[in-house]
Amino acid sequence: MQREHLVLWVSATLDCIEQATRAYHAGADAPWLALMSSSLREQAYVRHLAITFGFEAPLEGAFAYTRGLDDVIPVRKRVRAGLIAQDLLALGVSPAELSHLPQCPAIAPFVEVSDALGWMYLIERATLLHDGVRRSVAQRLPRAAHATSYLCAAGSVAGVRWQSFGAALDAVTDEAPIADRIADAAKQAFRYWLEWVDWNDHGPLARNG
């Protein structure tokens, strides 16, 4: 699989985290892979963007207020929740509806940079799927092809972006306990993401599925 090749080639730290979180990968990837289905409907795309916005917007806020994180990796270059909002507006979601979308309440600024990097791993890993999802949306939902700015943010440079993330991780993991802490934080991030998706599957966004 291309993703695993990238992990092994780029960074020993990424490989470590990949192994530690492997049990969560299929569940985390499933909502993205569903957008590549031949039966994809626009409502499902809108719904998943809304779910992702509700997770990434507060997470980006937590990154912004995590002391020292920007010294390790340029946080602003990886901010994309605003692009999700832009896509949702282009798909007919009103500003009022956007402002009332549910947001994951349990995300707060991180005490340790290593914890923030573990959560960032979840978000960065997903970008490796985004170009395939973008092409699927453009092919199956021509009317939504103009609303893929979030998916385009990584696009064809997802591998380079992933490589630079791995380099940042390697720069701070000169001791095994730090790598272990990043991996533990990544596991927590995966659990929160899966719980967030599940809650929305049975909650206020379920009607848009």
Side-chain angles (χ1 to χ4, degrees):
M1 182 178 177
Q2 184 180 9
R3 170 182 287 142
E4 293 179 352
H5 174 74
L6 283 168
V7 170
L8 293 169
W9 172 59
V10 170
S11 160
T13 308
L14 282 176
D15 185 36
C16 175
I17 300 172
E18 178 86 356
Q19 297 297 328
T21 61
R22 188 174 296 279
Y24 300 99
H25 294 175
D29 291 347
W32 294 108
L33 296 177
L35 298 180
M36 300 173 72
S37 167
S38 59
S39 60
L40 177 64
R41 296 182 299 161
E42 185 172 314
Q43 296 95 322
Y45 179 51
V46 171
R47 177 178 173 277
H48 186 64
L49 286 179
I51 291 172
T52 305
F53 179 76
F55 190 85
E56 291 199 18
L59 183 54
E60 288 180 358
F63 290 153
Y65 287 99
T66 298
R67 185 173 300 176
L69 180 59
D70 204 52
D71 295 332
V72 174
I73 192 165
V75 174
R76 271 186 272 185
K77 290 184 178 180
R78 294 174 185 263
V79 168
R80 294 173 299 139
L83 297 177
I84 307 177
Q86 177 180 312
D87 290 337
L88 287 169
L89 292 170
L91 290 165
V93 176
S94 71
E97 290 171 330
L98 183 64
S99 68
H100 286 93
L101 287 177
Q103 295 199 5
C104 191
I107 299 174
F110 301 96
V111 175
E112 298 290 340
V113 167
S114 54
D115 295 334
L117 290 171
W119 281 70
M120 191 176 288
Y121 170 83
L122 167 70
I123 303 303
E124 292 299 321
R125 183 180 176 278
T127 65
L128 300 177
L129 293 172
H130 285 182
D131 193 50
V133 174
R134 179 196 59 77
R135 287 185 275 109
S136 177
V137 170
Q139 177 183 356
R140 296 181 169 91
L141 303 174
R143 294 195 310 170
H146 66 292
T148 58
S149 58
Y150 170 73
L151 297 172
C152 289
S156 61
V157 299
V160 175
R161 179 185 174 111
W162 184 246
Q163 181 178 359
S164 67
F165 180 61
L169 290 180
D170 284 346
V172 299
T173 54
D174 53 345
E175 298 179 8
I178 299 176
D180 291 342
R181 179 154 184 163
I182 294 173
D184 287 341
K187 291 178 188 177
Q188 183 185 47
F190 275 107
R191 289 193 292 268
Y192 270 72
W193 168 247
L194 293 171
E195 290 171 3
W196 178 244
V197 172
D198 182 69
W199 181 80
N200 280 286
D201 279 342
H202 302 91
L205 297 177
R207 63 181 181 274
N208 294 326

